[in-house]
Amino acid sequence: MSYKIVVDSCCDLTADMKNWDNLEVIPLTLQIGDYVIPDDENFNQDDFVNRMINSNVLAQSACPSPQAFADACCCEADDIYIITITSHLSGCYNSAVQGVALYKDENGDNKNIHVFNSLATSGVETLIAMEIKKLADAGKDFSQVVEAVEGFITNNSGLYFCLESFDILKGNGRLFNLAANVIEALRVKLIGHAENGKIAIAGKDLTIKRTLIKLSHLIAKDTEGADLSNKLCIISHVCCEEKAKAIKELIASNTNYQESNIIILRASGLNSLYASNSGVIVSFNY
């Protein structure tokens, strides 16, 4: 059975993924005042971040329409797997579900289609897409892939992030479950964590160096006892490659991830918007 993977643009693509012939990215829309662009292959991270820094208008995003997901289902593939950012932070998941319903209303129930709620962002979507490809290429049928990947999302993936500023997240209402007194203490460097699809605070420290060390120890704790020989860790960064390299060294030293399996990527447009300048997002499977 032929298959197709559809992701929203929260998914940080590796160089290899950009060459997959059965992958489609549905872009979100990014906006800074009157400046509006799609989060697609033409996204320029440096330019966009500079615009955010120099603007007194809060940057925002808008999720794709249901029709965009419906159109993605109009293809020759028999099985379609759709992956979205966590439903707790965006309307993408609901838009994708509605898009599938639109497609079926117009075309009937002629395909196997499943929408995965990643319960996270960024590199976790990347890892989910890789897991789907691995299973589908191994000949697993649609129901087997769905069951295995839903379990992977819940039990075998994780995400931490460390941001220099929480202003965009806070301004766009993404921090509803964090204590206000913690958010106001911006002199403290915070480690965020994807917890059941929501943002939680996993740790804090006074300096970025100590905070990043603590982040690597949290990953080590989460993956303790797991065989990581063929597992990946993805570091997505926003205009801070040197910081990403420092985190890679810490993770290689403090966890059982092989250095060759720790990948550094520039964050997508959506992730660049919310992580903001010098933000890093670390996603991993175990």
Side-chain angles (χ1 to χ4, degrees):
M1 300 286 280
S2 60
Y3 72 94
K4 178 180 181 179
I5 300 172
V6 178
V7 298
D8 61 28
S9 61
C10 183
C11 181
D12 291 327
L13 301 182
T14 66
D16 180 58
M17 291 174 71
K18 292 176 183 178
N19 294 321
W20 292 1
D21 58 8
N22 59 347
L23 176 72
E24 181 174 351
V25 181
I26 307 296
L28 282 86
T29 300
L30 312 177
Q31 180 173 3
I32 308 172
D34 294 332
Y35 180 71
V36 182
I37 59 169
D39 182 15
D40 59 16
E41 68 276 4
N42 297 313
F43 173 74
N44 184 316
Q45 186 184 76
D46 293 328
D47 176 72
F48 189 81
V49 170
N50 282 332
R51 288 175 183 269
M52 286 201 299
I53 292 171
N54 294 317
S55 176
N56 57 4
V57 178
L58 189 70
Q60 297 178 313
S61 65
C63 67
S65 69
Q67 189 61 53
F69 288 101
D71 291 344
C73 295
C74 294
C75 62
E76 295 181 358
D78 302 301
D79 301 336
I80 301 176
Y81 305 100
I82 302 174
I83 310 166
T84 75
I85 181 176
T86 172
S87 61
H88 292 285
L89 296 182
S90 169
C92 270
Y93 176 77
N94 288 334
S95 186
V97 171
Q98 292 172 25
V100 172
L102 279 176
Y103 173 83
K104 290 185 175 182
D105 284 346
E106 296 175 0
N107 300 278
D109 197 6
N110 63 343
K111 294 180 185 293
N112 298 314
I113 307 173
H114 185 79
V115 183
F116 293 100
N117 181 352
S118 71
L119 298 180
T121 66
S122 188
V124 169
E125 284 196 42
T126 310
L127 294 169
I128 294 168
M130 290 178 174
E131 188 70 9
I132 292 170
K133 187 177 192 316
K134 181 184 75 174
L135 294 168
D137 286 350
K140 301 295 184 182
D141 66 29
F142 180 80
S143 61
Q144 289 174 316
V145 173
V146 169
E147 182 179 4
V149 173
E150 288 290 2
F152 174 87
I153 292 169
T154 305
N155 303 313
N156 300 107
S157 63
L159 181 149
Y160 289 98
F161 60 89
C162 183
L163 312 184
E164 292 292 330
S165 170
F166 281 77
D167 290 347
I168 299 294
L169 279 173
K170 186 179 179 183
N172 282 280
R174 265 60 176 185
L175 296 175
F176 52 84
N177 64 325
L178 299 184
N181 61 328
V182 174
I183 295 304
E184 294 303 325
L186 292 180
R187 292 182 182 178
V188 176
K189 304 301 180 182
L190 301 177
I191 302 171
H193 177 46
E195 188 174 281
N196 298 319
K198 299 180 181 179
I199 296 175
I201 292 298
K204 58 183 183 293
D205 216 308
L206 295 176
T207 68
I208 190 63
K209 182 177 180 179
R210 286 164 50 175
T211 303
L212 296 180
I213 293 172
K214 187 170 289 186
L215 186 154
S216 69
H217 288 160
L218 286 168
I219 295 173
K221 183 179 179 181
D222 286 354
T223 58
E224 186 176 5
D227 179 5
L228 303 180
S229 56
N230 294 312
K231 306 302 182 182
L232 294 178
C233 179
I234 298 174
I235 304 168
S236 303
H237 72 90
V238 185
C239 300
C240 59
E241 186 174 4
E242 292 307 311
K243 183 189 290 185
K245 289 178 180 178
I247 296 172
K248 179 175 180 175
E249 290 182 6
L250 288 169
I251 293 172
S253 297
N254 296 326
T255 75
N256 290 324
Y257 283 101
Q258 302 295 318
E259 187 172 351
S260 59
N261 289 342
I262 304 173
I263 303 169
I264 295 176
L265 300 175
R266 274 185 174 253
S268 72
L270 183 73
N271 296 319
S272 296
L273 190 161
Y274 286 105
S276 300
N277 191 35
S278 294
V280 289
I281 307 169
V282 183
S283 311
F284 53 96
N285 65 340
Y286 54 93

